Amino acid sequence: ALTDAAYLRPEAVFPERGPGAAEGDISTLAAVRQNAERDHIRSALERTSGRVEEAAKILGISRSTLFDKLKKLGIAAEA
């Protein structure tokens, strides 16, 4: 889940536009995509208590692809 709040606020989806963001600041599409991917992978790992194989199934990717993404995104896999 993006938030526990009753309503989804724009800063939950676009944190670069939330409180404290400078007017006119905007992230690149690549940065937004990478942040979204990182958050989604962390959510899948949390949901599966760190079980990479199960998280990969939820995400619809192979285990090796998930390991590659964990390394690229700097996410530690639970041992």
Side-chain angles (χ1 to χ4, degrees):
L2 291 173
T3 180
D4 291 328
Y7 298 97
L8 187 61
R9 300 189 48 84
E11 56 270 14
V13 180
F14 306 105
E16 69 278 3
R17 301 304 246 159
E23 190 60 36
D25 280 356
I26 189 161
S27 296
T28 64
L29 183 57
V32 172
R33 186 180 304 119
Q34 187 174 32
N35 288 335
E37 190 171 71
R38 181 182 293 112
D39 291 345
H40 197 60
I41 289 171
R42 283 183 176 151
S43 177
L45 287 168
E46 192 174 293
R47 183 173 166 193
T48 62
S49 300
R51 293 185 298 272
V52 174
E53 190 166 353
E54 284 186 45
K57 286 180 185 177
I58 289 171
L59 295 167
I61 59 177
S62 71
R63 205 180 71 152
S64 61
T65 297
L66 181 51
F67 275 116
D68 290 343
K69 290 182 179 293
L70 292 174
K71 184 176 180 179
K72 176 185 172 192
L73 297 170
I75 302 170
E78 297 294 319

